[in-house]
Amino acid sequence: MSIIFQESVKGRKGTVLPESDVPVHHTIQSKYLRSEDAKLCELSELQVVRHFTALSRKNYGVDTNIYPLGSCTMKYNPKFNEKIAAMEGFASLHPLLPQLVGGGMLTQGALAVLFELERLLCEITGMDAYTLHPMAGAHGELTGMMIIAAYHKEKNNRKTEVLIPDEAHGTNPSSASIAGFQVTSIPTNENGILDIKALEETISEKTAAIMLTNPNTLGLFNPLIEKVAAIAHKYDAQLYYDGANLNAIMGKFRPGDALFDVMHVNLHKTFSTPHGGGGPGAGPVGVKKHLEQFLPVSRIIKRSDGTYALSYDFPKSIGYIAPFYGNFAICLRAYAYILTLGAKGLIEVSENAVLNANYVMHSLKDFYDVPYLRTCMHECVLSAKRQLENKVHAVDIAKALIDWGIHPPTIYFPLIVKEAMMIEPTETESKESLDYFIDAMKKIALLAKTDPQSLHQAPISTPVGRLDETKAVKDMDFCFQD
Amino acid sequence: MTPKDRMYTRTHEWVKVEDNEALVGITDHAQDSLGDITFIELPKIGSKLKKSGECGVIESVKAASDLYSPISGTVTDVNEALETTPEDVNTDPYGKGWIFKLNNINQNEIAELMDADAYEKFLESEE
Amino acid sequence: MSYIANTDEQRREMLKVCGADSIEELFADIPQNLRPRSFNLPQGKSEPELINYFEKLARKNYFNLINFVGGGFYDHFIPAAIDALVSRSEFYTAYTPYQPELSQGTLQSIYEYQTGICRLTGLQVSNASLYDGGTALYEACQMAISATERRKIIVDGGVNPIYRRILHTYTANLSIELVEIPVSHGQSNRESLFSAFDDKTAAVILQNPNFFGVIDDHSDIVEKAHSFGMLAIQSVYPIAIAILKSPGEQGFDIATGEGQSLGIPLSFGGPYLGFMAATKKLARKMPGRIVARTVDVNGKEGFVLSLQAREQHIRREKATSNICSNEALCALRAHIYLSLLGKEGIKQVASLCADKAQYAKERIKAIAGVKVMESSPTFNEFVVKLPIDAGECVGKLIDYGFAAGFPLGRYYPDMNNYLLIAVTEKRTKYEIGELAEALEAVLCQ
């Protein structure tokens, strides 16, 4: 298949706009103008449509088949949410409208969506206030870290360090680092839970925060979370909750109840907004009362007459972390989702997510190594350690699954498990779908013993086979030259 | 096999000392764990390094490993060939794949390093 | 309705395999005293009920105002084919292309998008996207700081005030110095800028067109910056640079900007698109994902995420950035937009914007008491000085059906009578004329 620029035909036009209807031309002097046109495509609309249609057919989405990518919550993206987001009354709104005249009266509908979503997230997670500004989970983590820094600065605390478990997602330490903190890693014990003793030995007066995911990236819930909170708060270290795994615990656990001070949620994970091939997402941040004053501005307030307004009257706010109010169209989808499900629906989500993951784990435990064989939550971690004896690695198993028409689980994460395969089926997968996946995994385990070479060659049914990633880095061909 | 003519660190660097100068690289175990090496951030010539101090980065497709100086000293030379052929570290980690040279080294620190046998035992214990 | 397929019968079978009697057993690790104190959410509703609810909410928004508001975010025409193509679920329900064999669609389209951004900006390497133009600008600062090992950034006063605030928030806890140099008559003040440049400065940031709509050729400023070993960063309006001198042509090292104008709806603030391009030399310092072209085991051309060793999932606290999810679907929209409009179309959009803005200037200039700021050249946005408070004026013009512009007093306390008016290719001669007449009527009151 050719690169779109290779399909250009000189002089061909795609979208045509109407001729200018004004009787004047701009007077921009030539010294400000480009000397040469940008060499963009010259294609007809049909060519463009065919090109992208062909590209889409080389892709795999949740709508294709099971997508058990651990830590990503690849659940069904309801089409209803797409319909709401496309409504002209939302999609065409300029973000500066509420700032044009006092009171935000031009955008009451949009402000209502944002305000009410914040309230719902507070109730779901047990927090006191939310900001919807962060445009991704990592952005939420960074915002949370900035809020913590502001909190300590306000109290004249000299805190330079953040403690993070070794199984944490890479965005945790990188977000803490970008916020200006040093990162120290805390080990996980042999039961797959944070090593409390190591935590007690490492925490000190200079600890600003502890970042936790619960259930953690191994899919295990830490029952000693109250003890961790007590240790943290003894030093006035703030407890941060990475909400990436919220799909496991809705209606069963609220971070706010368990003394977490600040957290983020991933709307594109738990709240069904589409992943888009790598975004856009949204990572709203929730805080307890004592941190509310530091939230980014603007904030949305509800007046006594029931109308909504933007407020910037928060002198201790960390300022702007986004140009406006967050990824509104994503928030809108999440809001529609929560209204569709209600309390009962969200609880069912977590119950089925956890059941599905445990079902997969128990079905495969005789075929693959399970490093922590105990009840998991919404995801389980297997290891290809057994298969390694036949020189079959996790990556081979992943590539083999592709030939079965299944997207592989996350591999090589978390880093603390050798040959890790992290499986998160999500609640929207049916038993038949899970059985198909389990069956494929069992057959692959058998092939690892009888015909490992076939696994090394996988995948063979896709548009391309395994790619030369070393050559990719060496050649650095990031831009087409014709 | 692990060359006997040099010393080793727990972070898998080797150092070959000759009088007041030292030659530094990474071990066969290190290059094997990293996979195909694609880029090396070399230390700056003239910089004063401390023992165990971070002085560079070794990148492969799937990983990035910090380079730590085995011994204190001043960087006098770096293997510029690695800019175009970083894979030399994979194919010949103890020869063509050398990374940098130091002088004015701290002789007292040599005793703290592992010899070839100790390093091999260390590798076994890590498994 | 929770989109769950399994029946109670199936759940019973599955529980048996798990060796559990009930689903509650699977949650045994959560102590009873940690169960939610409350979980009061409204009851779930059906599609028909919710359609009604959302339609009512949408009607409470004034989305039918004729839009002359810009400020970095513009009401441009979005061709129908874009929505049709990005709503193919293989694109939007896919995740990050970590398994390249299954994601050649996403990967190739990102490679093509990167190419389009490079050709538009005149630079050599682009990444797969960042959140928006403001955070992209911060990431560019970080690149400059890392590349030069200096910690001071000079910010031209013409840079969007929203972006300048983002830079302040991001650097609040870091030992990075931000120095702002106000503009003079709307354009970059060379004298003040040059006297601030030194060998402790990592970079200078400029914007073109700037927040006041003013355009410039910054080549001389770039040259001066380079003479101090500084980098030069330009934040640009992608439609404008279809006809204006590109950042590459002016010698800039990094270009960033807001891609919303390239086929992305205004959507009340997001999702948007931060694009970034840089010289080849800076490729390894770039944040975010980058797609490379390579071959597979059979020598067939393919695409793959590359230079991942810079990213958070490998480098963790030493990564170039913490970014993980970006704006992939928005980048796809932008790429389809650039492909549909193409080489000639994008120039036509830009020319229409500039021509219609010129017409708007002439109609508004003719109104008694109104002064159009014309000491510096502009693209499609310009500042007018009104005899009354601009916010008040805009408020009155709402009743005439116009979102007439952005009152600058909002960000510049001493500019309460100044209004920023933007004109895009969507505005007709008639609408512009009506705006001028309405403005005249309001000022006569």
Side-chain angles (χ1 to χ4, degrees):
Chain A
M1 181 169 171
S2 49
I3 307 232
I4 200 168
F5 298 94
Q6 291 172 313
E7 298 168 26
S8 288
V9 174
K10 192 160 148 54
R12 190 167 282 177
K13 291 206 180 122
T15 304
V16 172
L17 287 132
E19 293 287 321
S20 175
D21 59 353
V22 296
V24 300
H25 278 301
H26 67 75
T27 55
I28 301 173
Q29 296 168 283
S30 56
K31 65 173 171 170
Y32 296 117
L33 299 175
R34 283 182 87 107
S35 48
E36 253 179 57
D37 295 338
K39 272 173 63 191
L40 298 171
C41 307
E42 295 179 271
L43 307 160
S44 69
E45 181 170 319
L46 179 54
Q47 270 183 292
V48 173
V49 170
R50 284 191 175 152
H51 182 86
F52 289 99
T53 301
L55 283 181
S56 75
R57 297 175 70 206
K58 290 187 179 189
N59 248 21
Y60 181 110
V62 172
D63 283 9
T64 311
N65 206 345
I66 181 173
Y67 210 133
L69 207 56
S71 132
C72 298
T73 313
M74 303 298 294
K75 66 169 75 182
Y76 174 62
N77 309 131
K79 307 314 171 202
F80 174 70
N81 302 346
E82 298 305 305
K83 183 171 178 157
I84 303 300
M87 283 180 164
E88 206 197 342
F90 293 122
S92 63
L93 279 187
H94 194 294
L96 284 173
L97 282 183
Q99 299 182 32
L100 286 191
V101 291
M105 295 315 291
L106 301 176
T107 55
Q108 285 297 299
L111 293 178
V113 167
L114 295 175
F115 183 87
E116 298 304 326
L117 176 61
E118 286 180 12
R119 299 278 77 69
L120 290 171
L121 290 175
C122 283
E123 183 63 15
I124 293 170
T125 59
M127 296 312 236
D128 297 323
Y130 259 87
T131 173
L132 301 175
H133 293 196
M135 297 175 275
H139 199 201
E141 291 169 33
L142 178 58
T143 305
M145 290 296 114
M146 288 182 185
I147 289 171
I148 290 172
Y151 168 78
H152 288 301
K153 196 164 170 185
E154 178 72 5
K155 292 179 93 175
N156 277 320
N157 290 343
R158 305 197 127 266
K159 304 280 199 180
T160 53
E161 174 193 68
V162 173
L163 304 182
I164 301 178
D166 56 5
E167 42 79 17
H169 193 266
T171 50
N172 287 183
S174 61
S175 300
S177 175
I178 287 167
F181 292 109
Q182 307 275 56
V183 172
T184 301
S185 189
I186 306 288
T188 301
N189 66 22
E190 62 277 3
N191 295 321
I193 298 297
L194 184 74
D195 187 335
I196 297 243
K197 197 148 163 290
L199 174 65
E200 280 172 316
E201 285 165 9
T202 315
I203 195 169
S204 72
E205 289 301 334
K206 61 180 175 133
T207 306
I210 306 176
M211 288 179 94
L212 290 179
T213 315
N214 197 24
N216 63 16
T217 59
L218 297 165
L220 306 174
F221 190 89
N222 184 345
L224 298 174
I225 195 72
E226 283 175 298
K227 187 141 190 245
V228 175
I231 295 168
H233 292 137
K234 197 165 90 182
Y235 291 88
D236 201 16
Q238 298 296 286
L239 207 51
Y240 183 94
Y241 181 86
D242 179 334
N245 291 339
L246 206 78
N247 213 44
I249 47 133
M250 289 189 289
K252 307 290 184 191
F253 172 76
R254 300 193 316 173
D257 295 335
L259 303 174
F260 279 93
D261 302 292
V262 49
M263 67 176 285
H264 81 272
V265 294
N266 298 65
L267 298 187
H268 48 293
K269 295 186 182 187
T270 318
F271 298 100
S272 86
T273 74
H275 284 80
V285 165
V287 295
K288 282 300 191 52
K289 225 128 200 75
H290 64 286
L291 295 176
E292 192 175 342
Q293 57 181 327
F294 305 109
L295 285 173
V297 282
S298 56
R299 295 195 56 202
I300 303 175
I301 56 175
K302 192 170 184 177
R303 291 180 283 226
S304 48
D305 63 0
T307 58
Y308 303 92
L310 289 181
S311 176
Y312 293 83
D313 190 14
F314 296 92
K316 299 275 196 295
S317 162
I318 57 174
Y320 286 28
I321 56 114
F324 295 104
Y325 325 109
N327 277 351
F328 176 78
I330 306 299
C331 295
L332 180 55
R333 287 173 170 86
Y335 181 50
Y337 178 73
I338 297 171
L339 291 182
T340 303
L341 267 69
K344 192 157 157 287
L346 290 178
I347 296 173
E348 275 173 20
V349 163
S350 292
E351 288 179 347
N352 282 271
V354 168
L355 175 58
N356 283 3
N358 277 283
Y359 177 67
V360 169
M361 183 178 75
H362 284 284
S363 303
L364 291 176
K365 65 185 179 212
D366 295 329
F367 297 81
Y368 293 90
D369 200 55
V370 182
Y372 305 97
L373 190 51
R374 43 174 275 215
T375 303
C376 64
M377 298 234 77
H378 66 314
E379 62 195 2
C380 61
V381 177
L382 306 181
S383 161
K385 229 170 94 176
R386 237 178 269 184
Q387 286 69 25
L388 213 48
E389 291 163 13
N390 293 72
K391 295 222 183 356
V392 169
H393 294 257
V395 64
D396 300 311
I397 297 167
K399 301 303 181 191
L401 274 169
I402 293 175
D403 284 332
W404 254 270
I406 299 172
H407 192 287
T410 303
I411 49 175
Y412 300 113
F413 181 80
L415 302 172
I416 57 170
V417 172
K418 199 168 173 175
E419 300 294 326
M421 296 182 290
M422 190 202 258
I423 300 164
E424 181 183 354
T426 83
E427 75 285 0
T428 53
E429 291 308 317
S430 65
K431 183 171 174 294
E432 313 89 82
S433 173
L434 298 177
D435 287 336
Y436 181 72
F437 170 72
I438 289 165
D439 190 54
M441 288 290 281
K442 285 181 180 173
K443 293 207 166 74
I444 292 170
L446 188 59
L447 281 173
K449 286 196 246 177
T450 59
D451 186 7
Q453 187 50 24
S454 67
L455 301 180
H456 293 309
Q457 279 159 2
I460 52 174
S461 62
T462 43
V464 296
R466 295 201 204 187
L467 291 153
D468 188 340
E469 302 192 23
T470 306
K471 181 178 158 70
V473 174
K474 296 203 73 185
D475 291 354
M476 287 184 34
D477 176 0
F478 306 135
C479 176
F480 181 69
Q481 314 283 347
D482 53 10
Chain B
M1 288 297 97
T2 315
K4 304 248 187 252
D5 60 351
R6 49 200 85 188
M7 303 293 277
Y8 299 85
T9 66
R10 302 178 81 83
T11 46
H12 311 288
E13 291 90 10
W14 57 258
V15 57
K16 192 165 169 216
V17 176
E18 257 176 50
D19 303 321
N20 202 27
E21 294 190 336
L23 188 66
V24 180
I26 62 169
T27 65
D28 184 54
H29 169 92
Q31 72 76 18
D32 187 55
S33 321
L34 280 165
D36 289 339
I37 292 172
T38 52
F39 179 75
I40 302 180
E41 204 178 288
L42 297 163
K44 282 196 178 50
I45 294 182
S47 51
K48 290 187 171 48
L49 303 178
K50 277 176 77 176
K51 178 180 147 84
S52 307
E54 278 173 38
C55 59
V57 185
I58 307 193
E59 279 180 26
S60 66
V61 172
K62 295 285 191 206
S65 222
D66 291 307
L67 188 61
Y68 300 96
S69 186
I71 201 168
S72 305
T74 308
V75 181
T76 53
D77 197 8
V78 295
N79 187 351
E80 277 170 14
L82 296 178
E83 274 167 26
T84 36
T85 49
E87 58 269 23
D88 287 349
V89 178
N90 292 116
T91 51
D92 191 7
Y94 298 109
K96 261 173 61 185
W98 67 273
I99 302 177
F100 63 99
K101 287 188 179 144
L102 295 169
N103 73 359
N104 279 333
I105 59 172
N106 184 336
Q107 301 283 349
N108 298 329
E109 290 167 351
I110 299 174
E112 293 163 17
L113 299 164
M114 293 182 274
D115 65 15
D117 287 330
Y119 180 64
E120 277 177 6
K121 283 206 184 64
F122 169 67
L123 285 181
E124 276 165 38
S125 71
E126 280 223 305
E127 281 305 304
Chain C
M1 163 100 142
S2 49
Y3 305 104
I4 288 168
N6 287 336
T7 59
D8 289 332
E9 167 83 31
Q10 287 176 306
R11 274 189 282 270
R12 273 193 291 272
E13 284 174 46
M14 291 164 70
L15 278 169
K16 267 226 284 268
V17 171
C18 298
D21 287 319
S22 69
I23 290 187
E24 255 319 293
E25 253 184 70
L26 300 175
F27 288 93
D29 280 337
I30 306 180
Q32 282 307 315
N33 68 315
L34 285 184
R35 297 298 169 116
R37 294 193 194 140
S38 78
F39 202 70
N40 292 327
L41 298 165
Q43 217 185 16
K45 302 220 170 32
S46 66
E47 266 193 49
E49 288 171 282
L50 287 175
I51 282 274
N52 262 336
Y53 174 70
F54 281 105
E55 276 175 353
K56 274 223 287 279
L57 275 182
R59 277 197 293 272
K60 286 191 184 169
N61 298 321
Y62 283 59
F63 60 92
N64 273 325
L65 295 171
I66 299 172
N67 202 333
F68 286 91
V69 178
F73 309 86
Y74 303 93
D75 180 20
H76 284 289
F77 165 67
I78 298 175
I82 298 180
D83 284 312
L85 289 167
V86 302
S87 49
R88 291 185 71 87
S89 63
E90 296 93 331
F91 281 132
Y92 79 88
T93 69
Y95 186 51
T96 306
Y98 287 130
Q99 297 291 348
E101 301 88 345
L102 277 177
S103 336
Q104 288 299 293
T106 297
L107 287 164
Q108 182 172 335
S109 62
I110 296 174
Y111 177 81
E112 294 173 351
Y113 158 83
Q114 288 169 186
T115 304
I117 294 294
C118 285
R119 291 184 180 196
L120 196 58
T121 57
L123 288 162
Q124 293 90 53
V125 186
S126 159
N127 68 10
S129 74
L130 298 165
Y131 308 135
D132 81 302
T135 53
L137 196 51
Y138 172 74
E139 297 277 14
C141 290
Q142 269 305 117
M143 281 171 70
I145 288 168
S146 169
T148 60
E149 294 184 341
R150 302 174 184 180
R151 303 189 71 78
K152 188 165 97 179
I153 303 275
I154 292 175
V155 187
D156 185 84
V159 171
N160 193 322
I162 293 174
Y163 291 177
R164 284 189 275 121
R165 282 179 198 204
I166 291 176
L167 292 181
H168 277 287
T169 299
Y170 267 71
T171 54
N173 202 36
L174 308 171
S175 53
I176 294 173
E177 194 190 342
L178 294 176
V179 175
E180 286 189 16
I181 306 286
V183 296
S184 155
H185 299 294
Q187 271 189 324
S188 301
N189 185 332
R190 266 81 172 157
E191 211 185 303
S192 308
L193 281 167
F194 293 174
S195 61
F197 289 2
D198 61 20
D199 57 9
K200 294 207 172 33
T201 307
V204 60
I205 304 176
L206 300 151
Q207 182 175 311
N208 195 38
N210 70 19
F211 184 67
F212 306 103
V214 167
I215 59 181
D216 204 342
D217 177 352
H218 290 138
S219 310
D220 58 329
I221 302 178
V222 174
E223 210 183 302
K224 193 71 169 183
H226 285 162
S227 73
F228 284 95
M230 289 162 53
L231 293 186
I233 300 168
Q234 196 180 52
S235 177
V236 294
Y237 178 2
I239 300 281
I241 58 171
I243 58 174
L244 297 182
K245 227 178 198 178
S246 74
E249 236 181 300
Q250 295 174 56
F252 280 95
D253 303 284
I254 308 172
T256 58
E258 178 50 60
Q260 175 270 320
S261 305
L262 304 175
I264 295 166
L266 285 164
S267 243
F268 202 57
Y272 287 159
L273 170 64
F275 62 86
M276 174 189 271
T279 55
K280 194 144 194 159
K281 213 170 111 183
L282 290 168
R284 292 206 119 79
K285 300 276 178 208
M286 266 196 145
R289 300 184 175 133
I290 300 182
V291 172
R293 185 162 60 146
T294 180
V295 293
D296 75 355
V297 283
N298 302 312
K300 195 165 168 207
E301 176 184 278
F303 303 89
V304 75
L305 287 177
S306 192
L307 287 190
Q308 291 190 65
R310 303 155 300 127
E311 294 189 71
Q312 47 77 28
H313 56 289
I314 289 177
R315 217 57 186 107
R316 298 173 75 86
E317 64 266 18
K318 298 184 179 143
T320 50
S321 164
N322 70 336
I323 192 165
C324 183
S325 287
N326 44 81
E327 303 287 324
L329 203 68
C330 296
L332 179 60
R333 293 189 70 107
H335 173 41
I336 297 174
Y337 177 85
L338 288 174
S339 306
L340 283 169
L341 273 106
K343 184 162 168 284
E344 290 305 318
I346 192 100
K347 271 167 48 189
Q348 192 193 13
V349 171
S351 303
L352 285 170
C353 287
D355 290 345
K356 293 186 187 219
Q358 180 62 26
Y359 179 68
K361 267 191 198 175
E362 290 180 13
R363 287 299 305 259
I364 291 173
K365 211 161 55 171
I367 302 172
V370 177
K371 178 169 169 6
V372 171
M373 309 308 282
E374 284 188 294
S375 55
S376 305
T378 56
F379 171 60
N380 75 332
E381 211 164 359
F382 55 93
V383 177
V384 305
K385 185 170 180 203
L386 302 169
I388 63 171
D389 180 273
E392 213 186 286
C393 185
V394 165
K396 297 206 170 97
L397 286 166
I398 303 274
D399 296 330
Y400 287 80
F402 294 99
F406 186 64
L408 285 177
R410 176 71 191 76
Y411 282 109
Y412 298 91
D414 55 345
M415 293 182 85
N416 286 323
N417 285 23
Y418 293 81
L419 186 65
L420 182 65
I421 298 175
V423 185
T424 68
E425 76 287 0
K426 271 178 78 171
R427 300 287 74 85
T428 63
K429 174 166 176 259
Y430 178 73
E431 285 169 346
I432 296 168
E434 290 287 286
L435 172 69
E437 281 175 30
L439 179 55
E440 194 165 22
V442 162
L443 292 179
C444 281
Q445 285 168 13

